[in-house]
Amino acid sequence: MEDFYLRQVDSQSSSKLTGGGCNLVLNGILFYFLYASHQSLNTNSCYATQDSAGNWEAFASAPADVESVDVGKAMSTWMLWGMIFTAGNFAAALLQIVALITNMIGLLVAILPLQCGFALGSFAWLIWGMFVRYDGAGSICSQDLLSYAGSV
């Protein structure tokens, strides 16, 4: 049985190594982008409030008299989780390449649930980011909506 798996790995290892290498490059670029964006969001924040009519207003600092949403912090947290998922995908791709080079079938099998978990987590992360970004508070802070109070 193990010989069958070794033959499968040998016949597909070059394409899987290419896929693993592409995964390393893409996740490395994405990690750098998320890191740079996370650093810029730590210095800039946007607070949004909603009045009783449902209109959103953006503020550069948290207003004292009303409850506000810190959109900058929410997006910063989103980018931090993106860096965590990207680093996990990077590590899984690195382990995949090591397993293919050394013909360690057990390591390949052990990586699959890890990669599945990172894929599902990345999907949920993407949905969460779209919700935060395209919600009323996210739209006002990204200047999609045109009702402003203060300088953002």
Side-chain angles (χ1 to χ4, degrees), residues 1-112:
M1 185 80 155
E2 188 172 316
D3 291 336
F4 172 76
Y5 286 119
L6 284 176
R7 278 183 278 152
Q8 292 295 330
V9 168
D10 286 340
S11 67
Q12 299 174 2
S13 64
S14 64
S15 65
K16 287 186 179 181
L17 281 174
T18 304
C22 182
N23 194 353
L24 285 175
V25 170
L26 290 176
N27 278 302
I29 292 169
L30 182 60
F31 184 86
Y32 175 76
F33 167 74
L34 290 169
Y35 175 77
S37 298
H38 181 262
Q39 293 304 314
S40 71
L41 279 174
N42 281 339
T43 59
N44 301 322
S45 196
C46 174
Y47 296 88
T49 62
Q50 188 176 24
D51 62 14
S52 59
N55 299 320
W56 287 94
E57 291 187 85
F59 296 87
S61 60
D65 55 342
V66 293
E67 185 178 336
S68 63
V69 177
D70 187 355
V71 178
K73 183 178 179 188
M75 289 306 292
S76 180
T77 303
W78 180 74
M79 296 222 181
L80 178 66
W81 277 102
M83 288 189 307
I84 292 168
F85 283 123
T86 303
N89 285 325
F90 187 88
L94 194 60
L95 287 173
Q96 177 185 9
I97 289 174
V98 167
L100 287 171
I101 289 173
T102 60
N103 286 333
M104 296 177 67
I105 304 300
L107 185 58
L108 278 175
V109 172
I111 294 171
L112 289 176

Side-chain angles (χ1 to χ4, degrees), residues 126-141:
L126 185 63
I127 291 172
W128 175 40
M130 284 194 270
F131 176 75
V132 170
R133 165 59 181 84
Y134 294 108
D135 188 29
S139 293
I140 193 71
C141 284

